[in-house]
Amino acid sequence: MTIFNLGSINIDLIYRVSHFPAPGETLTTRDHERMLGGKGANQSIALARAGGDVRHIGATSAEDEWLRAEMRDAGVDIGGVQDSGLATGHAVVSVSDDGENQILLYPGANHDIDLQAAVAQLDTAGEGDWALLQNETNGADEFVAAARARGMKLAYSAAPFDAAITARLLLETDLLVVNEIEAAALSDMLGAPAKDAGIPHLVVTRGGDGADYDGIAGSFHVPAFSVTPVDTTGAGDCFFGYLLAAMAADRPVQQALAEASAAAAIQVTRPGASAAIPDRGEMNEYLSANQ
C-alpha cells in the first residue's frame, strides 16, 4: 500500500543548551546544527526507512534543494513537492542537557501548498492506500475529502493541536496518534475521554512511559524500551511513521506498536530528528535483542 503524505518540510535550527532560558534571560548555546525537519518530512522518512512506500506532498523554497535531496536519498518519493515563493518553513529547536526540547515554528511554504496540484497527486491512489497529514500545512479539508472520494484510509497526527481542524477531521480518521498533552486537549474539546470518540485506531504516546492503544484491536498499554535519551526531537514522528508503515503492510496492531516503540527508542539515543531515524534492519535487530 502507498501512503500519500500531505506534510510539512522544515529547516530545523538546533541549539544545545544547559537549560531553557527564563523570560528575559540571554543564554549562550553550546552548539548549533542545521537539519531537515518538519513533522511531515520526519514521518515520510520514518515511513521510508521502515520499508513503506511513501509519496510526499508539500512545498519548499526552490533554493533549498538540499532538503529534497535528503528526502529522496532516504527513499521518499518527492514528486509531489512543489516550489514556493515563500521561504521554507523552519523551526528553532532548543535541546537541553536532559534531552527535552522547546520549539518555535515558522510555517512559510508549508502554508503555501497549491491544493489543486496536491490533490492531483492522489489520482494514482487506489482503495486501501493511506492518506497522512498533520496540522502543519494548509489544505487539510480538501485533501481529506479527495482521499475519501478515492476510498483511501486516513492517518492523522493532530499536532500542533488545533481544536477546530481536529473536530472537522476526527470522523474521517482511521488512525489518530497524539501525545498525552494533545490527548488531554482533544478530550477537553470533546467533553469526554478521547478513547470514547469511536476512532478505529487511537494511540496516545507517553514518552518514556510508553503508549496506550484503544480501538478495534482492543485496549492495551505498550511499554517503552528503557534507554537514556540524548534528544527527543522527532521521536513521535519516528514512532508514527513506523506504526503506519506496519499497519499499511497489514501487520497486527500489537506488532506494529512494538516496531514503532523500538524505532523510537533507537531514535532518541541520537541527536537530530530525521537524521536519527533508524532503518528497518536496525529496528529488527534491536527488537529481537530486547523483547
Side-chain angles (χ1 to χ4, degrees):
M1 296 297 179
T2 300
I3 300 101
F4 294 78
N5 182 9
L6 177 67
S8 56
I9 304 172
N10 287 338
I11 298 170
D12 279 357
L13 304 172
I14 303 172
Y15 299 87
R16 307 280 167 177
V17 296
S18 58
H19 62 278
F20 297 134
E25 178 183 4
T26 298
L27 182 65
T28 300
T29 68
R30 294 176 174 171
D31 195 10
H32 166 256
E33 294 177 274
R34 187 184 74 160
M35 295 183 174
L36 166 66
K39 294 190 72 64
N42 292 342
Q43 290 175 11
S44 281
I45 289 175
L47 280 158
R49 290 189 176 152
D53 178 16
V54 56
R55 180 177 301 178
H56 196 95
I57 304 167
T60 69
S61 169
E63 67 185 18
D64 292 317
E65 169 59 27
W66 65 275
L67 296 167
R68 304 185 195 194
E70 286 196 22
M71 294 176 70
R72 183 174 54 245
D73 290 348
V76 178
D77 181 335
I78 59 167
V81 178
Q82 307 166 10
D83 291 337
S84 172
L86 299 182
T88 298
H90 62 262
V92 180
V93 183
S94 296
V95 182
S96 65
D97 284 348
D98 59 2
E100 293 300 319
N101 64 74
Q102 288 184 341
I103 302 172
L104 294 173
L105 185 65
Y106 168 73
N110 294 318
H111 283 188
D112 189 43
I113 298 169
D114 181 323
L115 265 296
Q116 184 175 355
V119 167
Q121 291 291 317
L122 301 179
D123 288 345
T124 60
E127 187 171 352
D129 284 346
W130 285 81
L132 166 62
L133 75 159
Q134 313 80 31
N135 285 346
E136 290 187 343
T137 69
N138 64 300
D141 295 292
E142 296 91 335
F143 185 72
V144 169
R148 281 307 200 193
R150 290 161 173 78
M152 301 173 70
K153 299 176 183 178
L154 176 65
Y156 179 35
S157 176
F161 187 80
D162 184 306
I165 296 174
T166 304
R168 294 198 302 271
L169 299 183
L170 210 56
L171 292 177
E172 304 291 343
T173 300
D174 295 285
L175 168 63
L176 177 68
V177 179
V178 290
N179 64 31
E180 54 192 329
I181 296 172
E182 294 154 357
L186 176 60
S187 296
D188 287 344
M189 182 193 79
L190 296 171
K195 66 181 181 179
D196 296 337
I199 302 163
H201 302 283
L202 170 66
V203 178
V204 178
T205 60
R206 302 186 182 280
D209 292 328
D212 295 328
Y213 172 89
D214 287 281
I216 58 179
S219 297
F220 51 85
H221 177 75
V222 179
F225 293 92
S226 180
V227 296
T228 300
V230 171
D231 183 356
T232 60
T233 307
D237 299 326
C238 175
F239 180 96
F240 197 134
Y242 260 83
L243 172 63
L244 180 53
M247 291 183 66
D250 292 326
R251 286 194 283 281
V253 171
Q254 286 189 305
Q255 175 64 24
L257 285 163
E259 292 181 10
S261 297
I266 298 169
Q267 198 259 3
V268 299
T269 64
R270 303 169 175 174
S274 62
I277 296 171
D279 62 29
R280 182 161 189 81
E282 291 178 279
M283 183 280 297
N284 282 334
E285 184 177 347
Y286 182 91
L287 189 58
S288 295
N290 290 277
Q291 278 187 322

